[in-house]
């Protein structure tokens, strides 16, 4: 069972690496925010798996705090876009205006 959980942890870490690539390359701010949300959810899952593998219940508390921080980041992004101070730019949006 431990080997399976370790394999899941490696796959979750690979997902985090792919998300980091998406944050770095873009193309738009909304894509980057979705990748940051991916960090939050995958990070929580990774911490929960590691808590089980290492028998460290304190990691569950850290996962809970990370989940709350990810929620606050999304709410801040939505509030910024909702007020109109931020722009959600995508490559396809300029093509639709023609």
């Amino acid at each position: 069972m431990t080997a399976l959980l370790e394999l899941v942890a490696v796959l979750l870490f690979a997902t985090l690496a792919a998300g980091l690539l998406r944050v770095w390359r873009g193309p738009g701010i909304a894509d980057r925010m979705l990748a940051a949300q991916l960090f939050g959810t995958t990070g929580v899952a990774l911490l929960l798996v590691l808590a089980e593998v290492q028998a460290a219940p304190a990691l569950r508390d850290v996962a809970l705090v990370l989940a709350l921080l990810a929620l606050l980041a999304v709410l801040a992004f939505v509030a910024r876009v909702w007020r109109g101070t931020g722009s959600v730019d995508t490559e396809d949006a300029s093509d639709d205006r023609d």
Side-chain angles (χ1 to χ4, degrees):
M1 184 69 166
T2 305
L4 178 64
L5 289 175
E6 289 174 355
L7 177 65
V8 169
V10 169
L11 291 175
L12 287 171
F13 187 71
T15 304
L16 282 176
L20 180 62
L21 194 66
R22 176 54 57 196
V23 167
W24 187 26
R25 297 180 86 187
I29 193 168
D31 297 318
R32 290 183 172 129
M33 188 61 221
L34 284 173
Q37 185 64 27
L38 173 75
F39 282 161
T41 55
T42 306
V44 168
L46 184 61
L47 285 171
L48 290 174
V49 168
L50 290 177
E52 189 64 32
V53 168
Q54 297 178 355
L59 287 177
R60 292 186 185 114
D61 296 333
V62 175
L64 179 62
V65 170
L66 181 61
L68 291 174
L69 288 175
L71 173 68
L72 290 176
V74 169
L75 290 177
F77 173 75
V78 170
R80 180 179 173 199
V81 170
W82 191 275
R83 282 190 311 233
T85 58
S87 64
V88 179
D89 53 27
T90 60
E91 293 176 1
D92 297 333
S94 62
D95 295 337
D96 293 338
R97 294 180 190 164
D98 294 335

